[in-house]
Amino acid sequence: MPEAAVIRKPRVLSRVFSAVRLPVGDPFAVVGLVIYALFIVTALSAPLIAPYDPTEILYTENYDLASDLLPGEEGHVLGTTSLGRDIFSQIVWGARSALLVGLTAAFMVAFIGSIVGLLSGYFGGWVDALLMRLADVAFGIPFLPFVIVISAFSEPSIWNTVIAMALVLWRDTGRVIRSQVLSLRSRGYVEAARVSGSSDLKIILRHITPNILPLSFLYGSIAIGWAILTEASISFLGFGDPDAISWGFMLQDAFNSQALARQAYHWFIPPGLAIILVVSAGFFISRGYENLLFPKLGR
Amino acid sequence: MSKFKSFLIRTLQLALVLWAVVTILFLMFRLMPGNPLAAYIDPTFTAEQQEALIRQFGLDQPLWRQYFTYLANLLQGELGYSFRYRTPVADRIWLLLPNTLILTFSSLIVAYAFGILAGAWLAWRRGTRTEAAALPVVLATRAMPEFWLGMVLLAIFSFSLGWFPAGGTRSAGTSYDSLWALYTSSNFLSHLFLPMMTLAIYSQGLPLLLMRSNMLDVMKEDFITMAKIKGLSPFAVVIRHGARNALLPVMTSFAISVGYQLQGNVVVESVFSWPGLGRELVNAVAASDYPLAQGAFLMIAVVVIAMNLLADLLYSILDPRISHA
Amino acid sequence: MTTLLSVKDLSIAYKVGSNDVVAVSNSGFDVPKGTIVGLVGESGCGKTTMARALTRVIADNARIAGGEIAFDGQDLAALPEAKMNALRWRDISFIPQSAMNSLDPVYRVEYQIMEVLRDRGGMTRRAARARAAELFEMVGIDKGRLRDFPHQFSGGMRQRAAIALALALNPKLVVADEPVTALDVIIQRQILDQLRTLQRELGLSVIMVTHDISVVAYTCDRTVVMYAGKVVEDCDTATLLNRPLHPYTMGLKNAFPDLKSAGSGVLTPIAGSPPDLADPPDGCRFAARCPFAAELCRSTEPAPLEVEKGHIVACHRASEAAQLRLEASKPQTWEAMA
Ligand SMILES: Nc1ncnc2c1ncn2[C@@H]1O[C@H](COP(=O)(O)OP(=O)(O)OP(=O)(O)O)[C@@H](O)[C@H]1O
Ligand code: SF4
Ligand SMILES: [Mg+2]
């Protein structure tokens, strides 16, 4: 057995690495990856890119409020809001909120879902029964209303919104990981490891986790899009973090400031496009990733 | 008989899920910050009103007794009084439910009709430039925030072109003899059009992608090859045998979509001031009208769970391999 | 005896990537009217490809690369699609290997039989229903089961239903692709008996595709042996079994139990596997596995010749066949190749 352990170490590592292999063979996924790279760079270097503080109320050279400027006027690429804030800067800073929400939610969803799936699939019995009934309940909870109520009743912050999302969204990941664990368990080598006296923890860490990581990644990457869309809805409805400039908040601001009636397309089109771009990039990547994990001929 | 039994088990399971959701709802609203009485009692209620509510919901009792009172009240359809409307929550919800259901079902019917046809068509055009151009567009519609799509349609077709009204279910000052007269009036339908299209555009992606990939799978089946060897017409091959089989899972997804759609309604109803359950929930939460928020949430949850059950039922009816096991 | 079908020099290629896999190459055989002709060979030798080519419903990546399919005075390989489609099922029907997958799961069996009767046979609903019942009686299924869905049938019943379906329009030729392979031996026999009886009664011509030489021995009047996309031997079944001329046929005989006396005798498989059809060897395709391969065999391809009346074989050493048969009956001959 010690020999086997020595041999297996590098294999565990390489399996983990193969889990994070990027789907570079798929043209869709490559486009998605490029968009993501741009998105992440924008989010990280927001202060460098954005010409103004996104919350700062700006004035023109003649000390008038710089409100409702059209794109290009007074050097504002996308114009300004009714309160005189720079729309382009808000878009740039909005990337930061979106990245934060997307990544944390994806991490939590993948993490909770994987743990639940692992415990449920590996131990079976009452643990499995309990966790899967919990998953049933999570499927019975109306997602958006739940997040709205939690966000509204707790301190308004991005974290509460993210936690509310994770409390429901782990369900899909949990079920998929569980069935993967079940099929892994039925393979010989897990049984062999158990007979030879390996502890449960060891078997889970060494034999099972490396094999389910790709799925956790896949479901995490799908959750990114959901999280960004949901956060936008929450902010749009006015239950978001008032201190964070997010794309959803911009849309709420525009909607409440009669931007539609005033045909201020330059105000509410860009945040929507930004969301579409990032979320569909996520879809493209997860599709490519899925094809990588489950190659389906002729698809 | 065993089919009936498994359906019964599923019903029971979902009843348990409903009970769990109800309990979560109870805890969510009782554990929120502030006065526990706040879930049912607004400070502006008269002393007698407050008394009556405290008695009805056992608000002076310990939490566990309140819980049972709450369950008992729920079973009788008793949801408390809305703070804002000063009317029973149940009345308010029954008033709004039809609007939400009409919006949901009309948009899903449009979405499924389009999605199924377009999905089958894209499967047929597999590997062409049309397909290559269409797929990313479809994926992008799934990536759209629904409320944003609503805003764009509103700005163009209502504010700019003036083709459709901006919100509500009917023009101010109009009245109808019956609900039926209202729902069939051109006034109502023109109000319905934009929110319906918003939800339909967002929802068509699921049936479309599902239909397309099912169609691609089914067209590789032996019975399709056999249909060709039989010399059947292309219609018989593609529609009677191909689409009919590919449609099965798409039809089941309809029920699931109703549940999802109901949640999406929350934002779209808000954009179009559509007096439905979702908008009511948002307004109630924003105005701290807790009984109403709780009631709206519960109603949405009931429909979501009922639709999960319906999906199972549909599947077992539509698939002869299950219905004639 | 008149010839119903005469396949000449047929080649069928699958496009795989930028390669052509020639699954059937320059092969042919005849089907005399009113007989059952067996098409036998190992898995992957091109039997299904050949059989499906007769219906001209072939895979998307397949094409008829040459040759002629003379059927009833027409060349099916060159027939316009509309004419070909008019002929499908009315003149040539097909019994697939897996009736489970080839019946549509969402329609009742009756509907699927009536569908061809009405759509292809121009019958009224009433006439079609009566005919469906008649067909079920012919193949020995209780007509009460017509209203069942395919999954409610047993494997044997499904295969019978597939036969009923194939006979629906009184075709001239029935192509059966491994019609009993998926079934157990007892059911196999019942269904083959049934098929044989029906064939005699109706005067049908049948092509029976199988990899199982005992099925051929049990049912077929003539037998065509294929190896790696080529017909290597073609004659009446009795002669083929008693005096085979091709070493591959001799080997095949050793490799299968007798359907009539299941289980007796030692089986000796032919060692090795068929060549890659994307890049077939020069010379005889069987040379790598043939215990009698000579120098000539590896360099020059043997041409099919009618060495005796009605007995075609493609082997350089066919003239020594009597000697080779003696050798081939010894298991060591084949074991030495392993
Ligand atoms: N669609 C296809 N694309 C590429 N190659 C194919 C295709 N179908 C069949 N082939 C190849 O053509 C050859 C002949 O296949 P075919 O199905 O005709 O064999 P078979 O004799 O019917 O075998 P089996 O007994 O397994 O049914 C095989 O090598 C197979 O791999
Ligand atoms: S030609 Fe030669 S290799 Fe081929 S079968 Fe005859 S003897 Fe064997
Ligand atoms: Mg075959």
Side-chain angles (χ1 to χ4, degrees), chain A residues 28 133 136-150 152-154 171-172 175 226 229 232-234 236-237 239 248 251-252 254-255 258-263 265 268-273 275-277 279-280 283-284 287 296-299, chain B residues 10 13 16-17 20-21 24 28-29 32-33 126 132 135-136 139-140 142-148 150-152 154-156 159-160 202 209 212-214 216-217 220 260 263-264 266-267 270-272 281-282 285-286 288 290 293 297 300-301 304-305 308:
Chain A
F28 270 133
R133 290 299 79 74
D136 278 349
V137 172
F139 272 105
I141 291 179
F143 175 56
L144 194 58
F146 180 78
V147 181
I148 288 174
V149 171
I150 297 282
F153 289 170
S154 53
R171 57 198 183 179
D172 309 83
R175 279 194 180 167
W226 276 106
L229 282 174
S233 297
I234 297 294
F236 174 72
L237 294 173
F239 303 119
L251 289 169
Q252 182 214 15
F255 188 71
Q258 316 299 323
L260 308 194
R262 288 190 279 118
Q263 301 285 293
Y265 291 102
F268 64 86
I269 293 284
L273 287 185
I275 295 173
I276 293 178
L277 211 60
V279 175
S280 46
F283 285 173
F284 291 165
R287 260 175 77 99
K296 208 169 178 184
L297 288 171
R299 175 59 50 85
Chain B
R10 187 72 186 135
Q13 264 180 4
L16 277 181
V17 167
V21 171
I24 290 172
M28 225 157 65
F29 279 81
M32 74 200 156
R126 174 168 175 65
L135 274 189
L139 284 180
R142 309 267 309 140
M144 255 191 269
E146 286 160 282
F147 63 89
W148 177 78
M151 286 167 70
V152 173
L154 204 53
I156 297 174
F159 289 115
S160 171
Y202 178 77
L209 294 174
R212 173 180 165 276
S213 86
N214 289 342
L216 289 176
D217 286 343
K220 286 185 214 134
Y260 275 110
Q263 310 172 25
V266 172
V267 271
S270 297
V271 171
F272 290 96
L281 175 78
V282 171
V285 168
S288 304
Y290 300 120
F297 189 105
I300 294 176
V304 168
I305 292 171
N308 282 345

Side-chain angles (χ1 to χ4, degrees), chain A residues 189-259:
Chain A
Y189 60 93
V190 173
E191 207 47 52
R194 206 188 322 216
V195 170
S196 72
S198 299
S199 69
D200 287 333
L201 186 67
K202 220 172 179 180
I203 296 175
I204 288 181
L205 286 182
R206 183 164 296 157
H207 299 286
I208 298 195
T209 309
N211 285 302
I212 59 156
L213 265 176
L215 272 180
S216 311
F217 269 83
L218 175 63
Y219 276 77
S221 72
I222 293 172
I224 295 181
W226 276 106
I228 292 177
L229 282 174
T230 307
E231 195 279 332
S233 297
I234 297 294
S235 295
F236 174 72
L237 294 173
F239 303 119
D241 187 340
D243 299 328
I245 293 291
S246 74
W247 295 329
F249 165 82
M250 292 178 67
L251 289 169
Q252 182 214 15
D253 195 10
F255 188 71
N256 291 342
S257 312
Q258 316 299 323

Side-chain angles (χ1 to χ4, degrees), chain C residues 93 95 113 117 123 127-144 146 156-157 159-171 174 190-204 206:
Chain C
S93 67
I95 302 171
I113 297 180
L117 291 169
M123 285 191 187
R129 180 159 283 136
R131 171 76 174 148
E134 185 187 12
L135 286 164
F136 255 41
E137 232 153 78
M138 278 165 66
V139 297
I141 314 179
D142 176 29
K143 61 178 189 242
L146 271 166
M157 283 166 75
Q159 217 57 50
R160 284 169 197 268
I163 294 172
L165 205 51
L167 300 180
L169 301 178
N170 290 317
V174 175
Q190 287 175 1
I191 289 187
L192 290 177
D193 286 341
Q194 182 105 56
L195 200 59
R196 183 91 235 197
T197 313
L198 285 168
Q199 181 264 337
R200 291 218 180 99
E201 277 170 14
L202 305 172
L204 284 174
V206 176

Side-chain angles (χ1 to χ4, degrees), chain B residues 113-129:
Chain B
F114 173 82
I116 287 168
L117 290 176
W121 184 69
L122 277 186
W124 177 56
R125 300 299 309 255
R126 174 168 175 65
T128 62
R129 222 173 281 169

Side-chain angles (χ1 to χ4, degrees), chain C residues 246-247 284 286-287 290 292-293 297 302 315-317:
Chain C
H246 199 282
C284 175
F286 189 53
C290 179
F292 315 121
C297 301
C315 170
H316 292 305
R317 300 184 65 180

